[in-house]
Amino acid sequence: MVMGAQRAGTLSRAPSSAQACADRLDQLGPALTGYRLTASLVTPAGRVPSLRVVNPEAPALAEDVYAGCCEDGSWWFWWSWAERIAPASDLAAAAARIAHVLAAPHQG
């Protein structure tokens, strides 16, 4: 995640509390089960929590998702490469985008 950026919509300088991040990630997990993805909250000591999302049909298709509060007070889900996924208030959109990225190629 990009920390300390100055323009609106970027993450704030003050780190979000780990619990607030974990709470939002925890809310996203159930939305992903409808896409047959597994999600597990990872909370390493001294590090930012993440949600490990895996496509069980193709375990190589996995990604860590983060939650962060922007300077304007809005919460967003973020990819590990610091790109926004969707607002944390829109769990359905976030789950759909994650599922799209982690979808296994169709054979046939």
Side-chain angles (χ1 to χ4, degrees):
M1 286 189 273
V2 179
M3 299 298 284
Q6 293 297 312
R7 63 184 193 271
T10 58
L11 292 179
S12 65
R13 286 182 183 267
S16 305
S17 81
Q19 187 60 53
C21 294
D23 289 346
R24 281 161 180 84
L25 293 168
D26 219 18
Q27 293 171 1
L28 178 59
L32 295 165
T33 60
Y35 292 96
R36 292 188 248 172
L37 299 173
T38 62
S40 55
L41 188 62
V42 180
T43 57
R47 305 232 14 215
V48 177
S50 63
L51 190 67
R52 183 71 178 162
V53 184
V54 179
N55 180 338
E57 294 177 12
L61 296 173
E63 184 57 49
D64 294 319
V65 173
Y66 297 86
C69 185
C70 297
E71 288 179 347
D72 65 2
S74 65
W75 281 84
W76 283 76
F77 294 115
W78 297 78
W79 296 112
S80 61
W81 57 87
E83 181 181 321
R84 287 182 184 192
I85 298 170
S89 60
D90 193 346
L91 297 173
R97 185 155 185 221
I98 293 166
H100 176 74
V101 169
L102 298 182
H106 292 279
Q107 295 181 11

